[in-house]
Amino acid sequence: MTQGTPWAVVYSETGRVGLATATVEERAAVLGFEKQVAASPYTCGELYPDRVGGLYTALLSVGGRMAWTSVLYRIDEARHEVLIVAIVSGP
């Protein structure tokens, strides 16, 4: 892979369900985030301290305001791939 090559973005089963059940505004925010994370996955979120390690979380702006919508993702260096594990929305 050359420098600047976009990362592949894929969804886990849980991530696909989260995208399918998201509101229109949330879905637009997640798809916008997908473009950002494909360009630079290490700068789009914060490393989340989980037991397995390597899980990142990113709080999204939905409809122009910060919302309780987060994307959890992992970075796979070997595959040059970002796996969106879950999309979490609050009230």
Side-chain angles (χ1 to χ4, degrees), residues 1-90:
M1 301 278 166
T2 60
Q3 186 76 351
T5 302
W7 291 68
V9 178
V10 296
Y11 288 78
S12 70
E13 183 72 26
T14 307
R16 285 191 295 274
V17 169
L19 189 61
T21 59
T23 67
V24 172
E25 284 184 325
E26 289 169 337
R27 188 174 299 115
V30 170
L31 295 177
F33 173 77
E34 186 179 312
K35 292 176 186 174
Q36 293 172 347
V37 78
S40 183
Y42 290 103
T43 62
C44 289
E46 296 179 11
L47 194 55
Y48 184 81
D50 69 320
R51 291 189 322 201
V52 176
L55 184 66
Y56 287 78
T57 182
L59 184 62
L60 301 185
S61 173
V62 176
R65 64 192 184 290
M66 290 309 288
W68 290 102
T69 301
S70 297
V71 175
L72 301 173
Y73 65 98
R74 293 193 187 281
I75 300 169
D76 186 333
E77 286 279 340
R79 293 182 178 191
H80 201 72
E81 181 177 276
V82 175
L83 173 65
I84 294 183
V85 177
I87 300 164
V88 182
S89 295

